[in-house]
Amino acid sequence: MSKMLGDLTLPDSILWTDRDHWSAVSAGVTRTLDGGLTITTRRLSGGRPVTLEAQRGVTWLSRAQVDALLAMANQAGAVFPLVWDGQILRVMFRHQESSAVACAPLWPNCPHYTGTIKLMEV
């Protein structure tokens, strides 16, 4: 079991699509009156997006997994451990974006689903 969200085992083939699209450093640049630059930087703690995708042709989720994800997402303010290939992150659902969990069957009445799970590290 190398990928889990809380007690829910995720398919090994599920993708973390934005894993390398985040920086733990924030920077701001302003000009002074004489034209010089003032650069400020700071290290960020938390907020890293974790978008998991069950993509068609790569992996799918079962109806039971989708139901479990929806139940987890319906817990306001809940924080869950995400185990990803030996790394453990504390995450919560990104409710500030629409549809923190958005899944659809591969075809009507199919028991296999593709979709997106939007989380963020806290």
Side-chain angles (χ1 to χ4, degrees):
M1 289 187 252
S2 59
K3 296 177 182 172
M4 292 186 70
L5 179 60
D7 294 330
L8 177 65
T9 301
L10 299 170
D12 280 335
S13 55
I14 198 164
L15 302 173
W16 179 353
T17 56
D18 53 5
R19 188 174 190 172
D20 299 319
H21 301 168
W22 185 78
S23 174
V25 176
S26 175
V29 178
T30 56
R31 290 252 176 225
T32 61
L33 292 175
D34 67 358
L37 290 177
T38 301
I39 302 170
T40 56
T41 60
R42 65 184 174 113
R43 180 147 179 79
L44 302 175
S45 61
R48 177 183 189 177
V50 178
T51 305
L52 306 180
E53 290 190 29
Q55 296 179 344
R56 183 180 291 271
V58 177
T59 194
W60 61 79
L61 300 167
S62 69
R63 177 75 244 180
Q65 287 171 315
V66 171
D67 288 343
L69 287 165
L70 292 171
M72 293 166 77
N74 285 329
Q75 298 177 45
V79 176
F80 301 95
L82 173 66
V83 177
W84 192 272
D85 296 333
Q87 181 182 11
I88 301 174
L89 305 172
R90 291 173 23 105
V91 298
M92 64 188 310
F93 287 87
R94 291 190 336 243
H95 290 293
Q96 67 273 23
E97 299 178 26
S98 64
S99 301
V101 176
C103 295
L106 291 173
W107 56 83
N109 302 313
C110 177
H112 303 296
Y113 290 73
T114 58
T116 304
I117 305 158
K118 296 177 185 175
L119 307 166
M120 69 178 178
E121 189 175 8
V122 294

